[in-house]
Amino acid sequence: MKKDKKHTLDAHSWMDRYADYLFNYAIVRLFDPELAADAVQDTFLSALRAREQFQGNSTEKTWLTSILKRKIIDIYRKKKTAKESPMQENKEALSGNGEHGGHWQEERGPHSKSLMPEGEVENNELRLILEKCIAGLPDNMSAVFIMKMIDEAPTEEICKELDITPSNFWVMMHRARLHLRNCIELNWK
């Protein structure tokens, strides 16, 4: 009969093996290099403290990424409770009214060639504009949008993690989409 061998972690290699991946994961969700670096550092510290609980049911990378996800959600929560002043919202963009009535300006909208069928941004310029536009969203709206559209988290989980109601979630998603459409129209050349 074989004895179960507990999986051991190689914490000494984490920086070399996972720091870049975790930083890139965090920067896409936080849009702030300092916050992203702090989140990765906190992830490594938390993982070191909790290494005895690691059961080997996932890879080190997956385990570290799940810790980082929790750190990012904590940052979203702190931003929400700090009630930082939200950016000035463009009333026309949020109402969907105005000159274009909720539609793309033809000369500024994305071209079908710029998006791959899977929805991945093929054009680097459009990706950079989209990142800039997402970073310009108010913190709560950005967190909701990123968790839903990038992390593909279920609505119920997002509402629970950010302590918002489902109706608040849908309002924020709607406003985020309107803001992003307007921002891309203004910046797409």
Side-chain angles (χ1 to χ4, degrees):
M1 192 167 158
K2 257 186 170 177
K3 252 186 163 181
D4 284 339
K5 182 183 174 189
K6 189 170 184 178
H7 187 278
T8 57
L9 299 170
D10 184 11
H12 297 291
S13 70
W14 288 350
M15 283 295 288
D16 292 334
R17 294 174 67 197
Y18 307 118
D20 288 341
Y21 169 79
L22 294 172
F23 179 79
N24 288 331
Y25 184 93
I27 196 75
V28 166
R29 287 151 181 83
L30 298 172
F31 300 105
D32 181 331
E34 288 181 30
L35 270 179
D38 288 347
V40 171
Q41 185 178 30
D42 289 346
T43 297
F44 287 142
L45 289 173
S46 293
L48 280 172
R49 290 183 190 121
R51 67 181 176 258
E52 295 301 318
Q53 286 86 32
F54 181 73
Q55 298 176 357
N57 296 331
S58 64
T59 64
E60 281 181 333
K61 183 178 179 180
T62 301
W63 184 64
L64 291 168
T65 303
S66 69
I67 294 170
L68 179 58
K69 282 181 185 179
R70 304 298 319 157
K71 299 295 178 190
I72 291 170
I73 290 170
D74 289 344
I75 290 169
Y76 290 159
R77 285 182 184 152
K78 285 178 188 171
K79 283 183 175 183
K80 179 183 175 191
T81 57
K83 295 184 181 176
E84 297 174 355
S85 61
M87 67 169 226
Q88 194 77 9
E89 294 184 26
N90 183 327
K91 302 289 183 203
E92 182 178 306
L94 294 179
S95 69
N97 298 326
E99 180 183 344
H100 303 289
H103 298 284
W104 289 100
Q105 292 178 9
E106 192 161 330
E107 69 278 1
R108 292 191 170 192
H111 305 287
S112 61
K113 294 177 189 172
S114 69
L115 300 177
M116 294 173 29
E118 298 82 26
E120 293 182 45
V121 179
E122 180 181 79
N123 185 304
N124 192 43
E125 182 183 353
L126 178 58
R127 182 185 57 78
L128 293 173
I129 290 169
L130 184 58
E131 286 177 0
K132 175 185 168 191
C133 292
I134 291 172
L137 291 171
D139 292 331
N140 288 354
M141 203 179 293
S142 175
V144 166
F145 186 82
I146 290 168
M147 290 176 77
K148 185 66 175 177
M149 303 308 291
I150 295 176
D151 293 340
E152 299 178 348
T155 302
E156 301 79 28
E157 180 183 322
I158 296 169
C159 290
K160 181 182 175 189
E161 294 294 343
L162 299 178
D163 193 28
I164 58 174
T165 64
S167 60
N168 195 2
F169 166 84
W170 289 112
V171 167
M172 284 195 270
M173 283 297 295
H174 175 70
R175 288 182 177 174
R177 287 179 176 131
L178 289 174
H179 170 80
L180 292 174
R181 182 190 66 217
N182 187 55
C183 182
I184 291 170
E185 281 180 357
L186 294 173
N187 292 289
W188 186 257
K189 296 175 178 146

